[in-house]
Amino acid sequence: MQGNYLAKRIGQALLTFFATVTLTFVLYQMMPGGPEQALRNQILSQQMGSSNTINPEQIEQLVENYTNLESDAPIYVQYYQYMSSVFLEFDLGESLYSEDTVTSLLAERLPWSMLISVYAMVIGYSVSIVLGAVMAFKEKSRFDSVSSVVVIGLNSTPYYVAGILFIFFFSIRNNVFPTGGRYGLGIEPGFNPAFMQSIALHAALPILSMSVLGLGTALTMRGNSVRVLGEDYLRVAELRGLRNSRIATQYVGRNAILPMYTQFMIGIAGVLSSSVIVEEIFSYPGVGLLVYDAIQVRNYPVLMGSLIVFTLVTIVAILIADLTYGFIDPRISSGGNNE
Amino acid sequence: MSNERPDDDLETLFDADIDREPTPRSQRLKRQFDLYVVAPARVAMTDWRAVLGTAIIAMYVLMGTVGVWLVDRPTSGDAPTLVPPFQNPNYILGTDTFGQPIGAQLIHATPDMFRMVFAGAVVSIGFAALVGVLSGFLRGSKIDTILMSITDIIITIPGLPLVIVLIAIFQPGDPYVIGVLLGLDNWPGLARTVRSQVLSIREESYVEASQIMGISTGTILRRDVLAQLMPYITVNAALASRRIIFESVGLYFLGILPFTTLNWGVMMNIAYEGNALSKPSMYHFLAFPLLTIFLMSFGLVLFSQGMDSVFNVRLRARHSSTIDDDGGPEP
C-alpha cells in the first residue's frame, strides 16, 4: 500500500503543476486582445529609447521570445509549444525590461524568499501549537483567558500592519533592526560570522511579521486539545501511570495536531502569498518583491513565471508534508479514508 | 407552550386514524422564530465575544449607511492640511496631507468595503458549500474525485500572486468584481472542511433513518445535512470576510488595485509613501486607517468565535422556551 500511496501523491503533484502551467497559458490568452496586443505597448515603450523603428513582424518575434507564445499559430500549437518550453527546456520566457531570462531572475531570488517563508512557518506554527496546548491544559485559568484575547487580537492584525508596526518600533524608534534589504552594505558575502549575522538581522522582522499569519492555529489547537483531553483513552493512559510528558506529546499532541493538517497545507500557500506584501514593506529582494516590481510595469512574463514558481514551491512543500504525514498517521497510507 | 409529551407521541404513532389537530400556522411560525432567532440571540447574549463582535460589526454597518448620509464626502482642500487629531471638533480625527478630513474618508470607504466583502463572501461560501456538500455526499464517485482534485489544485496555487495577475490583466475598479476575484482563491479550504463534515454527518443514524424512510436525496441534503452545516458556514463566512478585508486593503496599500475609490488601504498607501513612519505630524494619517482595519477584523473574529457557542445545540436548547428542557436531543 505504501508504494501506491506514494505514486498517488506524486501523480497528484504533477497534475497540479501541469494545471498551473496551463492556467498561466489561459491567463495569457485571456488578456484583452491576446498576448500580442497586451505586450505591444510594453515593447513599444521599451524600444522608445533606442532610435531604431520597429515593424509588426519584429514585435511578433519579440513577443515569442518573451513569452514562448507564437501568436499567429493555431491555439493548440501555441499550447503545445508553451508547455514544451516550460517542461522540457525549463524556459519561462524573458523579462521585458532586462536581458535576463525569467528563470535566472527567479533562481537568484528564490532562496531569499524561502529563507524567510520557511522560518516564518516554522516559528509561527510551533509557537501557536505550544501556546494552544498550554492554553488547553490550563483551561479556564487566567492564563487561558488572557492569551485567548491576545491571540484573537493578533489574529485580527493583518501581517502587513504588524510589519509596519515592527518597522516603526524596532527600526525607526529604536535602531535594533534594519528597515530593509538582505544584508548590510560593505559586508563580504560568504561563510563569515558577520555576513550570517547581517542576514539574520535583516530577515528577523519579515519573518516575525509573516509568522503572525500562523497564530490563528493556536485557537484551533486549543479547541482540539480540549476535546482530546476529555476522551476516555486519555483517562486510561493516566490510570496506566504513564508519564505526563508522554501523555502530552504522544496522546494529546498527536491527536490534536492531526486534524489541522489541511490548515497547514493552506498555510504553506498563504505564507508564500504574503511574501509579496511583506517583501515590499521591508524592501527585501525576494520573489515577492520581483512580483511587485513586475506588476508596476506590467512585466507579464515575470509575473507568470513567479506564479509558476510559487506554485511549484507549494507543491513540493505539500508533497513533503504529505509523505511525512503518512509516518505520523499510519491510517492514511494504509488506504484509510482521508479526513 | 409545551408540546405533547413523548407518550402522547407514541400513542398517535400507533393510532390508525390520525385525527390530530394540525399545528396552526401562527404557532409553527412562533416556534420556528423561537428556535432560530430568540434562542440563538439569548445564547449570544451570554457570550461576551458574540456581543462585542456584533456590536463592532453593527457600528461599521451604521458607519456605512447612516454615516455616509450624515458626513459629506471629503474633497481635497476642505480643511487645512495635517490638522492633528482631537483638536478641531469639525475634524476629530485630523486631516491628511491634502486637507481631507480623515474621519470622513474612513466613513466613505466603508460602503465599498462592504460591497467587496459581500461579493467575496458569497462567492467563496457558495462555492465551498456547493462543492463540499456535493462531493461529500457522492463520496467515492467520479464527481467527488474530480471536484476534490480541482480543490486541491486551487489550494496549492498561492492566492495573492494569482489574484495580482488577474488584477493586472483585468484592472477591475468595481468593488463587486474585486470581491469576486478575492473570493475565488478563498473557497477550497472551506470546501474541504465542509466535505469532511458531510462525511461524518452522513454516517449519523438520523440520516440513515431518513434514507430508509425513502426521503429524497434533495430533502435529506436540505433538512439533515445543510442544517448541521450552518454553524461552519456562518463561522467561516465571518473568517472569509476578514480575509477579504485583509487582502483587498493589502492590495490597495501596495497600490496594485487602481485607486478608483476611497479605501483604507489607499489612505495607508498615501501616508506610508509620504514617509508617515518617520514624521510625527503624519502619525494619525497612518494610525487611524490601521486601527479601523484592526477593529473591523477584531469584530469579525470575535463574532465567529462567539457563533461557535451559539450553534452548540445543547446550549441552544436550554435557552429556548418552546423546547422541553430535559437535556435536549443527543447529538
Side-chain angles (χ1 to χ4, degrees):
Chain A
M1 272 301 181
Q2 187 73 49
N4 199 351
Y5 174 71
L6 192 74
K8 203 178 140 203
R9 286 294 156 192
I10 292 176
Q12 197 176 16
L14 286 176
L15 176 74
T16 307
F17 188 56
F18 193 78
T20 312
V21 180
T22 306
L23 177 71
T24 58
F25 178 77
V26 173
L27 286 174
Y28 266 128
Q29 299 298 333
M30 266 160 58
M31 286 176 185
E36 198 199 332
Q37 283 293 330
L39 284 174
R40 171 166 286 148
N41 289 333
Q42 257 70 35
I43 292 170
L44 285 178
S45 70
Q46 174 212 12
Q47 298 287 335
M48 206 83 97
S50 53
S51 55
N52 47 355
T53 49
I54 189 158
N55 58 31
E57 280 101 70
Q58 275 174 305
I59 290 188
E60 206 162 276
Q61 185 59 41
L62 282 169
V63 168
E64 196 192 330
N65 282 351
Y66 290 137
T67 62
N68 299 322
L69 292 167
E70 196 182 329
S71 41
D72 55 349
I75 193 100
Y76 57 90
V77 178
Q78 284 189 44
Y79 179 62
Y80 173 75
Q81 284 175 340
Y82 183 76
M83 295 304 264
S84 67
S85 58
V86 171
F87 279 95
L88 304 178
E89 302 161 25
F90 305 111
D91 179 6
L92 294 171
E94 207 174 289
S95 167
L96 288 180
Y97 294 92
S98 64
E99 292 294 293
D100 304 300
T101 61
V102 174
T103 323
S104 68
L105 277 176
L106 287 168
E108 196 261 326
R109 300 256 182 139
L110 191 60
W112 298 95
S113 282
M114 294 300 294
L115 174 80
I116 57 172
S117 313
V118 169
Y119 275 104
M121 284 227 27
V122 170
I123 292 176
Y125 282 131
S126 38
V127 166
S128 51
I129 284 176
V130 171
L131 186 67
V134 175
M135 275 155 73
F137 272 108
K138 304 201 166 178
E139 200 192 348
K140 303 224 166 80
S141 69
R142 172 168 290 178
F143 173 80
D144 180 31
S145 43
V146 169
S147 24
S148 287
V149 174
V150 171
V151 170
I152 293 178
L154 281 173
N155 209 4
S156 330
T157 315
Y159 50 89
Y160 46 87
V161 170
I164 294 174
L165 295 179
F166 286 148
I167 287 198
F168 181 66
F169 286 112
F170 293 119
S171 305
I172 294 178
R173 278 299 186 78
N174 317 296
N175 243 318
V176 188
F177 293 107
T179 51
R182 292 168 181 166
Y183 47 82
L185 285 171
I187 292 175
E188 180 100 5
F191 269 106
N192 50 16
F195 181 63
M196 295 289 162
Q197 196 196 0
S198 179
I199 286 182
L201 276 180
H202 281 80
L205 288 186
I207 291 173
L208 217 58
S209 47
M210 275 162 103
S211 53
V212 169
L213 266 180
L215 274 184
T217 336
L219 292 176
T220 324
M221 179 68 191
R222 179 185 174 276
N224 288 352
S225 307
V226 167
R227 211 194 53 233
V228 174
L229 281 171
E231 296 279 352
D232 284 340
Y233 59 75
L234 212 77
R235 203 178 309 156
V236 174
E238 270 165 24
L239 289 177
R240 275 172 65 201
L242 295 179
R243 265 175 295 121
N244 271 338
S245 59
R246 181 160 169 208
I247 293 180
T249 52
Q250 301 244 321
Y251 283 74
V252 183
R254 197 170 175 176
N255 285 305
I257 291 172
L258 286 181
M260 286 162 22
Y261 175 67
T262 314
Q263 210 176 336
F264 287 136
M265 242 169 67
I266 303 167
I268 298 172
V271 165
L272 283 174
S273 278
S274 70
S275 72
V276 182
I277 299 182
V278 169
E279 285 176 11
E280 207 281 316
I281 293 177
F282 291 97
S283 44
Y284 194 86
V287 181
L289 195 61
L290 193 68
V291 171
Y292 176 77
D293 292 338
I295 185 101
Q296 305 294 327
V297 291
R298 302 273 175 270
N299 198 341
Y300 290 111
V302 175
L303 278 180
M304 299 295 184
S306 310
L307 184 59
I308 291 176
V309 167
F310 267 136
T311 314
L312 184 65
V313 172
T314 321
I315 291 172
V316 173
I318 288 178
L319 192 64
I320 294 171
D322 258 333
L323 299 181
T324 44
Y325 186 68
F327 276 116
I328 308 169
D329 187 0
R331 284 171 299 184
I332 289 297
S333 46
S334 60
N337 51 344
N338 35 355
E339 263 43 79
Chain B
M1 218 191 304
S2 96
N3 346 2
E4 311 92 327
R5 312 274 358 144
D7 23 73
D8 291 338
D9 252 352
L10 272 183
E11 259 165 43
T12 48
L13 195 62
F14 290 107
D15 213 352
D17 55 332
I18 303 169
D19 198 22
R20 227 175 2 148
E21 191 91 357
T23 337
R25 174 162 235 183
S26 63
Q27 177 123 15
R28 254 188 304 159
L29 274 178
K30 204 169 176 181
R31 222 179 265 173
Q32 290 208 329
F33 182 74
D34 181 63
L35 194 60
Y36 292 109
V37 181
V38 178
R42 277 205 200 110
V43 180
M45 290 297 280
T46 63
D47 189 302
W48 68 271
R49 294 171 302 185
V51 173
L52 188 58
T54 315
I56 292 175
I57 296 172
M59 194 189 83
Y60 278 90
V61 171
L62 280 180
M63 228 168 96
T65 49
V66 185
V68 176
W69 179 65
L70 282 179
V71 181
D72 290 332
R73 198 178 177 84
T75 43
S76 309
D78 269 0
T81 58
L82 287 178
V83 176
F86 311 119
Q87 302 225 326
N88 187 328
N90 286 334
Y91 350 100
I92 300 172
L93 300 184
T95 59
D96 67 4
T97 37
F98 306 111
Q100 304 185 64
I102 286 174
Q105 287 189 65
L106 290 175
I107 288 173
H108 278 270
T110 321
D112 273 352
M113 208 69 215
F114 272 112
R115 286 189 193 109
M116 229 178 281
V117 166
F118 174 75
V122 165
V123 166
S124 51
I125 299 295
F127 255 64
L130 193 71
V131 171
V133 169
L134 207 62
S135 78
F137 219 75
L138 302 171
R139 176 176 161 200
S141 69
K142 272 235 165 61
I143 297 177
D144 177 29
T145 319
I146 293 170
L147 283 179
M148 279 303 109
S149 308
I150 296 174
T151 309
D152 283 345
I153 289 173
I154 300 180
I155 282 186
T156 313
I157 299 176
L160 215 47
L162 176 63
V163 171
I164 287 177
V165 173
L166 285 172
I167 287 171
I169 294 175
F170 296 115
Q171 288 295 311
D174 185 54
Y176 289 113
V177 179
I178 297 172
V180 168
L181 286 182
L182 290 170
L184 279 182
D185 80 290
N186 224 331
W187 62 268
L190 182 58
R192 273 212 158 272
T193 324
V194 169
R195 177 173 177 272
S196 55
Q197 284 301 318
V198 172
L199 285 183
S200 62
I201 293 170
R202 233 175 56 143
E203 308 292 316
E204 297 279 356
S205 45
Y206 56 81
V207 176
E208 209 176 323
S210 302
Q211 274 168 339
I212 293 170
M213 281 159 72
I215 294 174
S216 72
T217 313
T219 316
I220 296 178
L221 278 179
R222 194 158 42 85
R223 291 179 54 172
D224 294 343
V225 179
L226 217 55
Q228 293 290 310
L229 285 175
M230 276 322 280
Y232 287 89
I233 290 178
T234 318
V235 168
N236 281 291
L239 293 180
S241 314
R242 183 199 59 154
R243 230 185 106 163
I244 284 159
I245 294 174
F246 277 18
E247 289 188 350
S248 66
V249 171
L251 290 174
Y252 273 115
F253 171 56
L254 284 190
I256 288 172
L257 281 168
F259 287 5
T260 45
T261 58
L262 287 169
N263 185 288
W264 307 328
V266 174
M267 295 170 69
M268 279 165 58
N269 175 287
I270 297 169
Y272 192 77
E273 299 289 313
N275 257 331
L277 280 184
S278 38
K279 288 185 198 148
S281 66
M282 278 175 77
Y283 283 169
H284 65 283
F285 187 15
L286 187 59
F288 286 116
L290 289 186
L291 214 61
T292 314
I293 298 157
F294 170 77
L295 201 62
M296 182 154 186
S297 52
F298 191 60
L300 286 167
V301 173
L302 281 180
F303 179 75
S304 73
Q305 296 267 322
M307 281 301 118
D308 252 344
S309 66
V310 170
F311 283 112
N312 188 324
V313 179
R314 291 192 208 191
L315 203 58
R316 195 169 60 190
R318 217 180 301 145
H319 284 266
S320 168
S321 54
T322 50
I323 291 182
D324 294 332
D325 195 6
D326 50 3
E330 278 298 309

